[in-house]
Amino acid sequence: EPSHPASPGFPPDGGGRGPQVQTQRLFVALWPSDEVREKHVSYRKGWPHGPQARISADAGLHLTLHFIGAFPRSQLQALDGALASVPPERFTLRVGDPTVWPGGIAVLLASPHEALARLHARVGAALTTLGISLDARPFAPHVTFARRAATTLPPAPAHIDWTAEDFVLAESVPAPARGYRVLRRYR
């Protein structure tokens, strides 16, 4: 028997990993269109990450709004309801300033944007209604390109314009499949 009732976008058995798995590693993010993703991938090809870098999968490129972490499957419907109450807003943000954070995390930073800050705050408020703790660090919107990257940066910023119309609830899929899976899109 499923550990939670099925709802649109949620696999009733936890995505084929069986009912013994009681939690999922979840996050809320902006997920790019294919066109925007291809612009990120094209730019990333010119970034000298170094031979030790672990490059992010093309299909998993995203901008995290809030990391939730391990979340009980039994509470997915409540989470879905809380996120569905957040009104998405259409806006265009610019992603493009490359940097490498400590630990070799190569990212493209998004320029500050009021609508993005509002969406981050609204999603955060919805999550706190369920008792989910938010990251105390300031919001630094970015797209992660690689881990264990060299500190060498590309010669120019990317200047990728990204029109956001919705956000997603996504799952970090553990090994051996490893990657990300969109569970639900909120329009």
Side-chain angles (χ1 to χ4, degrees), residues 10-26:
F10 297 131
D13 67 351
R17 288 179 281 140
Q20 73 278 7
V21 179
Q22 298 300 312
T23 62
Q24 292 173 270
R25 286 180 47 85
L26 302 178

Side-chain angles (χ1 to χ4, degrees), residues 27-33 37 60-66 89 91 93 95 110 116 119 139 141-143 162-169 185:
F27 60 96
V28 180
L30 296 180
W31 211 262
S33 67
R37 177 176 294 106
L61 295 174
H62 65 276
L63 188 152
T64 301
L65 294 169
H66 286 281
E89 195 174 329
F91 59 94
L93 62 124
V95 181
L116 178 59
L119 180 60
F139 182 44
H142 65 278
V143 177
W162 178 345
T163 300
E165 300 179 285
D166 54 17
F167 61 94
V168 302
L169 175 64
R185 188 172 294 272

Side-chain angles (χ1 to χ4, degrees), residues 91-111:
F91 59 94
T92 300
L93 62 124
R94 163 109 0 135
V95 181
D97 288 330
T99 193
V100 178
W101 286 342
I105 301 171
V107 302
L108 275 185
L109 298 172
S111 299

